[in-house]
Amino acid sequence: HIHALYAAEPVVIDKDLTSKNIGLNIEYIEDKDRKLAFDDIKRETKWRTFEKEYISFGYTYSQFWFRFRIRNTMDHPADFLMELDYPPLDLIELHIPDKNGSYTKKITGDHFPFSSRDMDDRNYIFKIHQEPGEKTYYMRVNSRSATNFNVSVMSHDGYLKQTKYELSMYWFYYGLMTVIIVYNRDLACTAGIL
């Protein structure tokens, strides 16, 4: 779908935020020649919307520009996190609006030092501070690997809950693998193979 004005609904940030996928709230432009700069993209009118939460372009030489609006409905600034969950992305350039109408640029990706990330995590986690009201964010992504990922916003507590769950799954997996290895080793010893 192509739209001239904002077609996607804004992401609502309130006191109840834990974690939410914002794929359906994002619009995009494919830049096949990789020539569009941030100033160009702010004037662009041919934004497309997604039909699924998961952003998937497969393997492509194109770079992609994304925009989304975040509406802080609280009467005080909101501090939250934005996550892209695909570590092989070469470049992620997030343009974060400030209260004066300017933008701050954060750049990271797997072609940049790990220290370029806001948080030490295998995924890309951006720390965001937004005043009350609605702001428009822009993001550029390009990669020589597949350009497939989820984008989520979450509270700090939501991030901790997600990390705790992932760690428990890793412990379960590695524990199960250890049991299988020990069992097979003992079976091999009993059968006289080892």
mmCIF file of all heavy atoms in Angstrom, residues 7 47 84 95 133:
data_model
loop_
_atom_site.group_PDB
_atom_site.id
_atom_site.type_symbol
_atom_site.label_atom_id
_atom_site.label_comp_id
_atom_site.label_asym_id
_atom_site.label_seq_id
_atom_site.Cartn_x
_atom_site.Cartn_y
_atom_site.Cartn_z
ATOM 1 N N ALA A 7 -0.101 6.781 7.239
ATOM 2 C CA ALA A 7 -1.140 5.772 7.114
ATOM 3 C C ALA A 7 -1.143 4.854 8.331
ATOM 4 O O ALA A 7 -2.190 4.385 8.745
ATOM 5 C CB ALA A 7 -0.935 4.953 5.851
ATOM 6 N N TRP A 47 5.278 6.651 1.072
ATOM 7 C CA TRP A 47 5.535 5.662 2.110
ATOM 8 C C TRP A 47 4.589 4.476 1.954
ATOM 9 O O TRP A 47 3.437 4.644 1.587
ATOM 10 C CB TRP A 47 5.362 6.292 3.483
ATOM 11 C CG TRP A 47 6.405 7.316 3.780
ATOM 12 C CD1 TRP A 47 6.339 8.657 3.540
ATOM 13 C CD2 TRP A 47 7.685 7.084 4.351
ATOM 14 N NE1 TRP A 47 7.507 9.273 3.936
ATOM 15 C CE2 TRP A 47 8.348 8.320 4.446
ATOM 16 C CE3 TRP A 47 8.349 5.940 4.810
ATOM 17 C CZ2 TRP A 47 9.625 8.455 4.972
ATOM 18 C CZ3 TRP A 47 9.621 6.066 5.333
ATOM 19 C CH2 TRP A 47 10.252 7.313 5.410
ATOM 20 N N LEU A 84 15.517 -4.171 17.715
ATOM 21 C CA LEU A 84 15.508 -4.869 16.429
ATOM 22 C C LEU A 84 16.157 -6.217 16.711
ATOM 23 O O LEU A 84 17.278 -6.280 17.223
ATOM 24 C CB LEU A 84 16.305 -4.122 15.363
ATOM 25 C CG LEU A 84 15.582 -2.961 14.677
ATOM 26 C CD1 LEU A 84 15.527 -1.756 15.578
ATOM 27 C CD2 LEU A 84 16.242 -2.632 13.363
ATOM 28 N N HIS A 95 17.099 7.939 13.753
ATOM 29 C CA HIS A 95 17.006 9.391 13.930
ATOM 30 C C HIS A 95 15.920 9.656 14.973
ATOM 31 O O HIS A 95 14.735 9.432 14.711
ATOM 32 C CB HIS A 95 16.683 10.081 12.610
ATOM 33 C CG HIS A 95 17.761 9.903 11.590
ATOM 34 N ND1 HIS A 95 18.753 10.835 11.409
ATOM 35 C CD2 HIS A 95 18.026 8.883 10.728
ATOM 36 C CE1 HIS A 95 19.572 10.410 10.462
ATOM 37 N NE2 HIS A 95 19.159 9.234 10.034
ATOM 38 N N GLY A 133 3.512 13.778 24.206
ATOM 39 C CA GLY A 133 3.088 14.162 22.864
ATOM 40 C C GLY A 133 3.556 13.164 21.824
ATOM 41 O O GLY A 133 4.032 12.076 22.148
#
